[in-house]
Amino acid sequence: GHVRLIAGGGIPQGDKETSLPFDYSFSAGGSNDNRGWKARSLGPGSYKYLLDTNRTLTQVADIRIAGSAEYRFAMSKSLKGAFFMDAGNIWTYKEDVNRPGSQFTKDWYKEIAYSAGFGVRIDLEYFILRFDLGIPLNNVSLPKDSRWVWQSRQAMIDELINTFGQADYERLKLEGKIPNPFSPGIRFGIGYPF
């Protein structure tokens, strides 16, 4: 098996700075990180992106904690497989009024997102093509009764209806603007993730 643990952080300078410059920020999700989420779509913290119609697709922050474990095995000479589990999230150092729940607090460990999956690697001698199917196991942006993949979605639906109203919730759902928070995804990579 292979294991990786990483942590990093930065402190924004200046009174008006609420976060690090984009180039120096951390992101979470993607083929080399938490593979249950698209690149730069996880976090920060428990920020409720589903309730924010003005949200950006790219999420960055000042602090990152992540870990991965992978069991790799050979299926043939050039075809390899792997089972994996990823965990982690990103947080802001200072409170971001545009992203409530994003700040790093003493309860940071309750905001760790987990995913698991299976991957196939094609070993072409000079490089490796990698396809990983990642499934989010929990989504910390959801209400406590809907955070895990095996829990009812009712608390999430109730929160959306309370925020937008029944009519707008139905319209947003029809327009496809309420994504499934537990959709599996295929992540493509070149080389091993770590």
Side-chain angles (χ1 to χ4, degrees):
H2 297 79
V3 177
R4 168 185 70 173
L5 296 171
I6 53 175
I11 299 173
Q13 298 297 306
D15 293 339
K16 294 179 183 170
E17 297 295 325
T18 57
S19 60
L20 292 171
F22 186 84
D23 291 352
Y24 298 100
S25 295
F26 295 96
S27 63
S31 64
N32 292 323
D33 189 58
N34 202 323
R35 290 166 273 186
W37 280 263
K38 292 178 184 170
R40 297 173 297 283
S41 68
L42 174 57
S46 59
Y47 160 62
K48 294 182 176 292
Y49 66 92
L50 287 176
L51 303 182
D52 186 357
T53 55
N54 297 319
R55 68 182 175 266
T56 61
L57 296 176
T58 300
Q59 294 300 335
V60 294
D62 314 314
I63 299 166
R64 178 180 179 212
I65 298 173
S68 295
E70 194 168 273
Y71 173 71
R72 299 173 184 163
F73 55 92
M75 296 190 285
S76 71
K77 185 176 184 236
S78 60
L79 196 62
K80 317 283 190 232
F83 292 104
F84 62 84
M85 177 126 188
D86 299 323
N89 205 338
I90 56 173
W91 294 268
T92 58
Y93 178 76
K94 296 179 180 179
E95 182 61 41
D96 183 344
V97 293
N98 296 316
R99 298 182 296 174
S102 65
Q103 188 174 23
F104 189 81
T105 67
K106 64 179 176 34
D107 291 331
W108 65 270
Y109 61 93
K110 295 178 182 175
E111 297 178 335
I112 296 291
Y114 299 92
S115 65
F118 174 76
V120 174
R121 287 85 166 99
I122 303 167
D123 189 344
L124 301 173
E125 289 189 33
Y126 296 106
F127 64 95
I128 294 169
L129 291 177
R130 177 169 47 90
F131 300 90
D132 290 325
L133 175 66
I135 302 162
L137 299 179
N138 71 330
N139 189 320
V140 297
S141 71
L142 300 179
K144 287 188 179 13
D145 294 337
S146 289
R147 280 191 174 178
W148 291 90
V149 68
W150 54 80
Q151 289 180 308
S152 164
R153 304 285 181 272
Q154 194 56 53
M156 176 190 86
I157 293 166
D158 292 345
E159 186 176 65
L160 288 163
I161 290 170
N162 288 339
T163 301
F164 298 116
Q166 184 72 42
D168 280 346
Y169 166 74
E170 296 295 339
R171 180 182 54 77
L172 290 167
K173 193 174 163 187
L174 279 173
E175 292 173 358
K177 292 186 178 171
I178 298 176
N180 177 351
F182 298 102
S183 290
I186 294 177
R187 311 293 171 230
F188 170 75
I190 295 178
Y192 286 110
F194 57 94

